[in-house]
Amino acid sequence: MTAIVECKGITKHYRQGSIDVPALRGVDLAIEKGDFASLAGPSGSGKTTLLNIVGGLDRPTEGTISIDGQDLTALDNEELADLRLRKIGFVFQAYNLIPVLSAVENVEFTQQLMNVPAKERRERAKEMLHQVGLDGMENRRPSRLSGGQQQRVAVARALASRPSIVLADEPTANLDTKTAEDLITLMSDLNERYGVTFLMATHDDRVISRTRRHIVIADGRVASDELRPAEMAV
């Protein structure tokens, strides 16, 4: 297997007044190409901090983290932003779509930042919207889409730049049961058909039960890391 993400000895401390608060305490973790993994743990366990560090949105206090063999801790802020753009797709709990842009324009947005030619990025955006089941909704703005449809646009946007890994932070938190289950099925299908690597921070048992790898963070450490046969992910 090929590691997309490698964390070695990751610690993260925050200052609260005069108090030093540890959020992560020496995390070693590798995410392999093609993983479909959940990252769980109670509130305050450090899972969101770890996801933010993996995504290059925050920096560790100590330790190293690499994406596709590139050491994030050695990059300056501009280099780190470029790596995020090219290597990491993000799916957020609140969708984070741009309200004045249509669905297809939202999917095109990261490609535009990457200077993908207009014709190519439009074709790629339409194909991704087709893959997530939004044919005919390309020109709708977020206000004319349901929550589940907005999250599908977010998934399409995350995948359109062809990242090495997609990071999802509580992707089903704002969705009803049926919509959440449909979204999980969509992401699972994309993982199986195209080998897209997913790491999802979640409290949702519906997500956890469908992932083939289940990582639990407790008190800033990896408490368990379970790899399950595909037939056990239901």
Side-chain angles (χ1 to χ4, degrees), residues 19 30 44 53 61 71 76 90 93 95 100-101 116 118 126 135 152 157 168 171 191 211 220:
I19 301 173
I53 289 174
T61 303
D71 183 1
D76 63 27
F90 293 94
Q93 177 179 342
Y95 320 136
V100 297
L101 299 183
V116 176
K126 286 185 174 180
D135 287 320
R152 284 172 178 260
R157 180 182 58 188
N191 170 259
T211 55

Side-chain angles (χ1 to χ4, degrees), residues 11-25 44-46 49 58 61 219-220:
T11 68
K12 180 65 179 180
H13 292 191
Y14 294 102
R15 297 292 294 181
Q16 291 185 354
S18 60
I19 301 173
D20 190 50
V21 179
L24 297 174
R25 307 168 187 255
S45 63
T49 299
D58 201 356
T61 303
D219 297 323

